[in-house]
Amino acid sequence: MFKALADATRRQILDLLRQGPRRTTEIVEAFPQLSRFGVMKHLGVLKDAGLVTTRAEGREVYNSLNVVPLRQIYVRWVRKYEDIWAMNLLGVKEDAEKGN
């Protein structure tokens, strides 16, 4: 998953999908600097990482963001540090208000 997230274009695709499901054609059109093959390759990496799911409706394929793996990363790697940062920021706020 980290490999999939490491690429800026793939993060941009995820940002696009965050707004809602998109047809593959719409995603290709959003990246005119890339070939259709290039976009499809990026989508393949995102699908393999479990970050994108697809469903077919006739000839159209809709791509959707799968937030579950992102949430799992958050829970495992970020959440336990939330309280530490929140406490430190509150301390900075209190010091600033005291004029220290």
Side-chain angles (χ1 to χ4, degrees):
M1 179 175 323
F2 289 110
K3 177 185 171 191
L5 294 171
D7 184 85
T9 300
R10 289 192 284 269
R11 290 191 306 270
Q12 289 173 337
I13 291 171
L14 293 176
D15 287 339
L16 182 65
L17 293 176
R18 191 172 59 167
Q19 300 167 14
R22 295 282 190 264
R23 291 178 295 134
T24 300
T25 303
E26 292 176 284
I27 298 170
V28 170
E29 290 170 354
F31 296 90
Q33 73 279 16
L34 296 176
S35 67
R36 181 174 181 81
F37 177 77
V39 173
M40 296 299 293
K41 193 170 181 179
H42 283 297
L43 281 171
V45 172
L46 291 169
K47 287 179 205 173
D48 289 345
L51 294 167
V52 170
T53 59
T54 59
R55 69 177 163 78
E57 281 188 20
R59 296 181 62 188
E60 299 290 336
V61 175
Y62 286 86
N63 301 273
S64 300
L65 175 64
N66 181 12
V67 297
V68 172
L70 295 171
R71 181 68 181 173
Q72 289 171 325
I73 287 175
Y74 169 77
V75 168
R76 181 172 180 183
W77 298 99
V78 177
R79 191 160 153 192
K80 63 181 171 182
Y81 300 107
E82 243 178 12
D83 287 337
I84 296 168
W85 283 103
M87 293 303 294
N88 286 335
L89 289 173
L90 284 174
V92 169
K93 179 183 178 279
E94 290 170 5
D95 287 347
E97 289 172 348
K98 290 178 188 173
N100 292 344

